[in-house]
Amino acid sequence: MNTNAALPPPPRWSTSAAAMLVALASAFALSQAFRTVGAMMATPLAGHFGLTPQQLGTWAGTFHFMFGIMQLAMGVSIDMFGVRRTVLVAFPLAIAGAALCAMASSFGALLLGQALIGVGCAPAFLACTVFIARHFDASRFTAMSGLVMSLAGLGILFTGTPLALLIEAASWRAGYAVLAAFAVLSWLVIFWRVREPARAADQASPQAALAERQSLRKAVRELLPLFAMPHTLGLLCFACVSYAAFITLRGLWLGPVLHDRHGLSLVASGNVALVMTVAGMLSPALFGRMDPGGARRAHWMMGCSFAGALMFGAMALTQSRAVDIGLPVFYGLLSGYSVLQYAYTRNAYPAAMTGRAMALLNMAMFLGVSLMQWTTGVAASWAVANGVEPFRAVFLTVAAMLAAGTLAFLVLPRAPAPVRLSA
């Protein structure tokens, strides 16, 4: 049964859509918080459970692995059942996972909690991007996506100084408990506020629209053409590393490198993370407004990614406190270029494939985060075993992966022209 509300009159619709988008963005903000807790929690968790660098990488990567592998399923669910129902059904798993982590007595329980959080958060940003694509003008897509990413930065903001202060005042368990409480509040706001409007196509032929949503086999079968398009591989290679580099630094290694390499306290490290986060919150909106479009968009993406690889190389080789504080903040300002991927993807695939294309992009991005965090954990453990400074190995690994993914995007076919049909 189609439970979508009828379209309100145009003067009220834009305000209503914006309010619903903010409500959906609250879940994305919690998702951002859950994926970046590692910067402040890594050191206390390592001390409490006796974790190695490789285990820390596995712990951080578990969220992103589960998040990534669920993207295609969430894309199909959103296309079939809508944004609201998908988020309301999935997000309680994140609440349960955070509660489990807060009470975890073993590393295994901690990993299970991370896995549940990853599954529960899986539709968070995808729901926002599909909602924007369906209910806002195409000309506003990049700017609105950047705005959502900036709003969601409030979640990352919490995992800087506020989380550090909370951990010092109470414990890392309190951090998970507070996030679980915020997640409950977000679910209630979405339940109360979001009533996804019916699309024009659904109103024109409700029987056909319902049949389309109920055809799960057809929806899954339609994923295959994405892989048949020549520009998909290059996009996936780029997506695997672009966002991963930012989250691997901000969400896992920033706190440890400042504490272990330079002797900064947890709160001082949190202050650096806070400034980096503020820069990262401003960046997506700026890139959204500066989006050059066309072929220049891909050039901007590659240029920013190569610049990021050089920054990580500098952090690996200099071991300077000024560099390790200054470059993460500058990289936060640069990180918003990842929003350009969504505009590139939206224009590279037909309108009917929007949900699945965005899901595939998100899957690549977050599996890439999982891979990069696990790989850097392995690199750090190898470095410790072989007498090499671990963070040098971590940052050289990130730089190499960034360069490799960007080079693949450069040499592989790219989408020659927008193929999106007007919705």
Side-chain angles (χ1 to χ4, degrees):
M1 178 180 296
N2 189 353
T3 59
N4 288 336
L7 281 171
R12 296 178 57 195
W13 159 234
S14 59
T15 302
S16 177
M20 286 187 276
L21 184 59
V22 170
L24 290 170
S26 69
F28 180 43
L30 268 298
S31 174
Q32 292 282 68
F34 282 122
R35 73 173 53 111
T36 54
V37 294
M40 296 300 105
M41 286 194 182
T43 298
L45 281 177
H48 184 88
F49 291 108
L51 305 182
T52 65
Q54 184 173 344
Q55 287 176 313
L56 282 175
T58 301
W59 163 72
T62 296
F63 169 95
H64 297 98
F65 178 77
M66 298 305 298
F67 189 106
I69 64 172
M70 292 301 298
Q71 288 303 296
L72 292 180
M74 294 300 174
V76 171
S77 177
I78 285 173
D79 281 349
M80 292 180 64
F81 306 114
V83 165
R84 181 178 187 270
R85 278 189 260 181
T86 300
V87 174
L88 289 180
V89 169
F91 206 50
L93 292 176
I95 299 169
L100 177 59
C101 286
M103 299 181 293
S105 58
S106 67
F107 182 56
L110 198 65
L111 290 183
L112 178 58
Q114 284 284 90
L116 289 173
I117 295 171
V119 175
C121 290
F125 184 47
L126 181 60
C128 294
T129 56
V130 173
F131 188 88
I132 294 169
R134 288 177 176 174
H135 304 297
F136 287 84
D137 292 339
S139 61
R140 301 177 64 192
F141 181 82
T142 307
M144 293 303 296
S145 297
L147 178 62
V148 166
M149 293 182 72
S150 294
L151 288 174
L154 293 172
I156 309 180
L157 203 64
F158 172 78
T159 60
T161 306
L163 181 59
L165 290 169
L166 180 60
I167 291 173
E168 285 207 342
S171 71
W172 59 268
R173 296 184 188 277
Y176 271 119
V178 169
L179 287 173
F182 280 138
V184 171
L185 180 61
S186 173
W187 188 93
L188 291 173
V189 169
I190 293 169
F191 179 80
W192 166 65
R193 191 65 187 87
V194 176
R195 293 293 185 272
E196 190 176 13
R199 292 174 287 173
D202 292 351
Q203 290 181 323
S205 181
Q207 292 83 7
L210 183 60
E212 177 69 15
R213 282 195 296 271
Q214 289 175 340
S215 179
L216 179 58
R217 182 178 300 177
K218 185 177 188 299
V220 174
R221 189 166 61 242
E222 286 179 352
L223 296 174
L224 299 178
L226 291 172
F227 296 95
M229 295 181 179
H231 55 271
T232 296
L233 180 58
L235 174 63
L236 295 183
C237 290
F238 186 84
C240 279
V241 299
S242 56
Y243 185 60
F246 174 79
I247 291 297
T248 298
L249 175 60
R250 173 58 184 85
L252 179 58
W253 296 112
L254 182 63
V257 74
L258 294 175
H259 180 270
D260 297 345
R261 181 186 267 186
H262 302 295
L264 271 67
S265 68
L266 188 64
V267 173
S269 301
N271 292 337
V272 176
L274 183 70
V275 176
M276 181 183 180
T277 300
V278 172
M281 289 174 62
L282 297 174
S283 185
L286 292 175
F287 274 93
R289 293 190 174 276
M290 296 187 302
D291 180 14
R296 292 183 61 198
R297 179 185 290 141
H299 296 157
W300 279 37
M301 290 161 59
M302 291 184 286
C304 291
S305 186
F306 274 128
L310 293 176
M311 290 184 199
F312 279 100
M315 293 176 67
L317 299 177
T318 61
Q319 299 188 43
S320 161
R321 175 181 290 196
V323 168
D324 288 346
I325 292 176
L327 284 187
V329 173
F330 187 77
Y331 191 64
L333 284 172
L334 186 70
S335 65
Y337 77 89
S338 63
V339 75
L340 300 180
Q341 296 174 102
Y342 291 96
Y344 177 92
T345 302
R346 186 177 189 273
N347 288 332
Y349 298 95
M353 304 173 75
T354 297
R356 295 166 184 82
M358 293 295 184
L360 184 62
L361 175 69
N362 280 349
M363 182 181 71
M365 289 174 66
F366 290 100
L367 288 179
V369 174
S370 178
L371 176 63
M372 187 176 285
Q373 291 185 333
W374 179 81
T375 303
T376 53
V378 172
S381 290
W382 174 89
V384 170
N386 289 273
V388 178
E389 205 263 347
F391 302 110
R392 172 170 292 185
V394 165
F395 293 140
L396 284 177
T397 300
V398 174
M401 294 179 75
L402 257 180
T406 308
L407 183 62
F409 186 60
L410 174 65
V411 301
L412 290 171
R414 294 194 295 274
V419 299
R420 180 176 174 85
L421 304 175
S422 60

